[in-house]
Amino acid sequence: MEIVDFTKQLGENENTYLFNPSLAHYKDNLYLCLYRKFVRFPELKQKGDDYDYSVFDKLNINHPWLGGPNSSFWWKSYYGFDKSGIAILSIDDNNNVNITNLQLNIFEIINGIKTSINSNPIKGVDARLLHLGNGFFVSSYNTFLGNRSDISLKEGDCGNWCGLISTRIIEIKNDELIFHPEVVLCPEKSNRVEKNWSFWLHNKKLSLSYGLENGHEIFQLNLYPNKTIGCTGITKNKSIIFFNKFKKYYKNKIHISVTTPAISFNDIEYIGVGHIKYKYENNLGDIQNTKLSNFTLQMTLENKKFHPIYVYLMFFYTFNPVDGGVTKISNMFLPQSDYVLCFPSGISKTPNNSFLISYGDSDVKCRFFKTSYVEIVDSLYDIN
């Protein structure tokens, strides 16, 4: 399996870290891409790739992991930014990646009026893209809101700050890139911080998978005429015995999440890519000699670079879009890397019907790989 690093093709400044890309097929060999871009001090260049980012005293001051697990500097960017970038990429059958030369005029719908703007208005991060068809995309991302006591959550209000799911419909129309109004999605169903979700479209109805750990929890959504999205109030929760047993086996030390959008896999199933995370330091003592602890030890012996707190792995899962029942999953896996953290952000069908999986490698790279339907089928286990 070829891993394609397209970070440099995005054309950003060399001191800016780019990661967690979501690629969605548009047409022909064109893909819309949203990605995260992060820098604290734009005037300072990155240190070389030979730096061991898992060691605090060698961290580049611009690196997203600056300060380790207890630092107040984790999210602060006094002089810089933490936001989303956008690009239209061409990707051919040989995995050559290029920024297109499409000259698109950018507009934002503000108070119902199409207004010309100079740059991407999405301020949130860790965005995901789902192509609804005909050049309409659902973008969803994490938005940090401050001093918003007017927003009511599942428990209490937003208070001093919260990180919620926001959505925008993005439209590509002739020579225009149009950003429709932003909506904070379903705050009444949200926790104070939301990081994991999955949109999918079935029979022209849009849904949101909220989680897998306590069953496949699904919110049904409305697509309104003004190109915004809202909750219908209708929810489903399909029990998944397997995940309960899996977590119990690992003594509840792992967290299982949906991540990418989900798309049609075959006539009866949809497919998405989720992730599993776990704390690796001083946390695996009572699950020694399991596959998870052995994998962690092997990564250490291979001198892989670790995030200050977590290991992130990805997995495929399929489900019935009618009732939400999860049917199959793959093993957890980590694409070839020097690091032990991957964050899947996108899944899309290619023109030749392979599947393109885009992901962030260790919060420093934008990467993807392609895999066939048969290869995915061979990796799946029936969990029923």
Side-chain angles (χ1 to χ4, degrees):
M1 180 173 66
E2 181 185 4
I3 306 296
V4 180
D5 183 344
F6 62 100
T7 314
K8 291 183 178 179
Q9 283 90 330
L10 293 170
E12 299 281 1
N13 292 332
E14 64 176 4
N15 61 352
T16 304
Y17 285 94
L18 311 179
F19 52 100
N20 296 356
S22 186
L23 284 163
H25 183 246
Y26 168 40
K27 65 178 182 179
D28 302 325
N29 65 344
L30 299 179
Y31 295 78
L32 186 63
C33 178
L34 284 173
Y35 54 94
R36 188 166 176 177
K37 46 194 293 188
F38 181 98
V39 64
R40 282 191 182 79
F41 301 99
E43 73 278 10
L44 298 180
K45 293 184 178 180
Q46 290 184 20
K47 295 181 179 178
D49 290 338
D50 58 333
Y51 271 74
D52 182 356
Y53 293 128
S54 67
V55 180
F56 169 65
D57 63 0
K58 291 185 178 180
L59 273 177
N60 175 6
I61 197 169
N62 276 327
H63 194 281
W65 297 354
L66 171 67
N70 301 311
S71 171
S72 62
F73 292 104
W74 188 286
W75 294 112
K76 289 182 180 177
S77 51
Y78 296 109
Y79 305 101
F81 49 77
D82 186 12
K83 58 185 179 180
S84 290
I86 190 167
I88 296 179
L89 305 177
S90 66
I91 303 174
D92 65 20
D93 291 342
N94 295 318
N95 293 333
N96 296 307
V97 181
N98 291 287
I99 289 276
T100 67
N101 59 1
L102 296 179
Q103 300 299 314
L104 297 179
N105 299 305
I106 305 176
F107 296 91
E108 182 178 8
I109 306 300
I110 302 175
N111 297 323
I113 300 172
K114 189 168 76 171
T115 305
S116 179
I117 57 176
N118 295 320
S119 61
N120 166 28
I122 293 177
K123 307 302 181 188
V125 297
D126 292 340
R128 289 130 225 210
L129 281 170
L130 174 67
H131 191 189
L132 300 176
N134 300 317
F136 287 91
F137 298 81
V138 174
S139 67
S140 56
Y141 42 90
N142 185 264
T143 301
F144 290 95
L145 304 172
N147 298 315
R148 293 294 301 271
S149 59
D150 59 311
I151 295 181
S152 296
L153 309 178
K154 253 191 311 195
E155 298 179 1
D157 59 37
C158 198
N160 291 331
W161 72 275
C162 55
L164 303 182
I165 305 168
S166 288
T167 64
R168 273 185 191 265
I169 299 293
I170 301 175
E171 179 183 1
I172 303 175
K173 182 179 180 181
N174 299 324
D175 62 348
E176 297 178 349
L177 185 64
I178 303 169
F179 292 85
H180 291 276
E182 180 181 84
V183 174
V184 178
L185 187 67
C186 313
E188 72 281 359
K189 298 181 181 297
S190 298
N191 295 306
R192 191 160 172 260
V193 178
E194 297 290 354
K195 294 188 69 178
N196 306 300
W197 60 86
S198 173
F199 281 84
W200 44 281
L201 185 72
H202 178 67
N203 288 341
K204 298 183 179 180
K205 294 182 179 180
L206 188 64
S207 297
L208 170 77
S209 293
Y210 186 67
L212 294 174
E213 286 197 348
N214 298 310
H216 189 188
E217 190 173 1
I218 299 168
F219 303 159
Q220 293 186 4
L221 305 174
N222 275 328
L223 276 168
Y224 296 114
N226 68 344
K227 308 296 189 299
T228 62
I229 300 170
C231 269
T232 64
I234 300 173
T235 62
K236 299 179 185 178
N237 195 320
K238 185 71 172 180
S239 176
I240 310 172
I241 297 174
F242 172 84
F243 286 126
N244 293 333
K245 291 183 177 180
F246 190 67
K247 282 181 64 69
K248 185 177 180 180
Y249 176 78
Y250 281 115
K251 303 187 184 299
N252 292 318
K253 294 181 181 294
I254 59 173
H255 301 278
I256 305 167
S257 302
V258 295
T259 322
T260 72
I263 60 175
S264 177
F265 187 52
N266 52 41
D267 290 342
I268 59 174
E269 293 174 305
Y270 270 45
I271 186 167
V273 187
H275 76 267
I276 290 178
K277 73 175 182 180
Y278 62 93
K279 293 181 179 180
Y280 62 90
E281 282 194 342
N282 304 318
N283 193 47
L284 304 180
D286 52 353
I287 57 170
Q288 288 185 4
N289 299 318
T290 62
K291 288 187 176 181
L292 194 67
S293 63
N294 292 341
F295 166 81
T296 308
L297 176 60
Q298 183 62 35
M299 294 298 98
T300 303
L301 294 175
E302 292 180 12
N303 294 316
K304 300 289 188 182
K305 298 179 177 68
F306 283 75
H307 180 274
I309 307 174
Y310 292 109
V311 167
Y312 276 66
L313 308 173
M314 66 173 81
F315 66 96
F316 291 110
Y317 66 97
T318 63
F319 64 93
N320 182 327
V322 177
D323 65 7
V326 176
T327 52
K328 301 178 183 72
I329 64 165
S330 73
N331 284 325
M332 300 174 281
F333 65 95
L334 177 73
Q336 183 62 43
S337 175
D338 294 330
Y339 297 84
V340 197
L341 185 146
C342 60
F343 189 83
S345 305
I347 181 171
S348 194
K349 274 277 195 74
T350 70
N352 62 6
N353 288 320
S354 63
F355 291 83
L356 187 153
I357 315 302
S358 51
Y359 66 98
D361 184 354
S362 60
D363 292 349
V364 297
K365 297 290 185 182
C366 292
R367 291 183 166 173
F368 71 80
F369 63 88
K370 292 177 183 176
T371 185
S372 71
Y373 175 83
V374 172
E375 288 170 328
I376 295 176
V377 167
D378 288 344
S379 75
L380 296 173
Y381 297 87
D382 191 325
I383 67 171
N384 296 311

